[in-house]
């Protein structure tokens, strides 16, 4: 099983690097102070990888968002709503919010955030 992760920490912990080397995860880093592939923030990485993220979500993937609740988390939620709208014919912002609320209710979109 391959799990893709978007990671916004200031450095990748060794256990994540080891898991990627073993093929268990595919990390897509986003570092605000050292952009990778031009992606400075997690929401930028989500937008860049939207097609793959959609495919993974359709396959039952779970999303864990950890970090700043004041700036990063709202941006990531908006990026995921945009992924839904882009991949769902006729979807609008309200439908995207209901979809995201559903993922949260199912425990497939989990936030562990702190007030910034």
């Amino acid at each position: 099983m391959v799990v893709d992760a978007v990671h916004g920490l200031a450095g990748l912990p060794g256990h994540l690097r080891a898991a990627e080397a073993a093929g268990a995860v595919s990390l897509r880093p986003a570092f605000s102070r050292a952009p990778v592939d031009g992606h400075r923030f997690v929401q930028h990485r989500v937008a860049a990888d939207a097609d793959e993220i959609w495919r993974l979500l359709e396959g039952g993937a779970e999303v864990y968002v950890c970090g700043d609740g004041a700036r990063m988390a709202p941006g990531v939620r908006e990026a995921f709503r945009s992924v839904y709208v882009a991949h769902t014919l006729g979807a609008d912002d309200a439908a995207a919010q209901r979809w995201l609320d559903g993922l949260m209710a199912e425990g497939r979109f989990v936030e562990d955030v702190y007030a910034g």
Side-chain angles (χ1 to χ4, degrees):
M1 179 168 89
V2 175
V3 178
D4 282 274
V6 178
H7 203 278
L9 294 177
L12 293 176
H15 69 281
L16 289 177
R17 289 183 187 164
E20 183 173 40
V25 299
S26 174
L27 298 171
R28 308 296 166 72
F31 304 125
S32 61
R33 294 192 178 150
V36 176
D37 298 331
H39 306 295
R40 183 173 182 178
F41 298 112
V42 175
Q43 53 268 38
H44 299 149
R45 178 59 76 175
V46 170
D49 293 336
D51 291 341
E52 186 172 7
I53 288 171
W54 181 253
R55 181 183 58 76
L56 290 165
L57 288 169
E58 287 289 287
E62 298 174 354
V63 177
Y64 298 92
V65 178
C66 304
D68 174 34
R71 292 176 300 275
M72 184 273 301
V76 171
R77 287 191 299 270
E78 178 57 32
F80 272 85
R81 287 190 298 265
S82 294
V83 168
Y84 177 82
V85 168
H87 289 87
T88 306
L89 186 63
D92 61 9
D93 291 340
Q97 185 60 55
R98 288 190 299 273
W99 169 77
L100 187 58
D101 290 343
L103 289 180
M104 290 177 174
E106 294 169 12
R108 291 185 49 215
F109 190 99
V110 178
E111 294 181 328
D112 181 7
V113 298
Y114 58 87

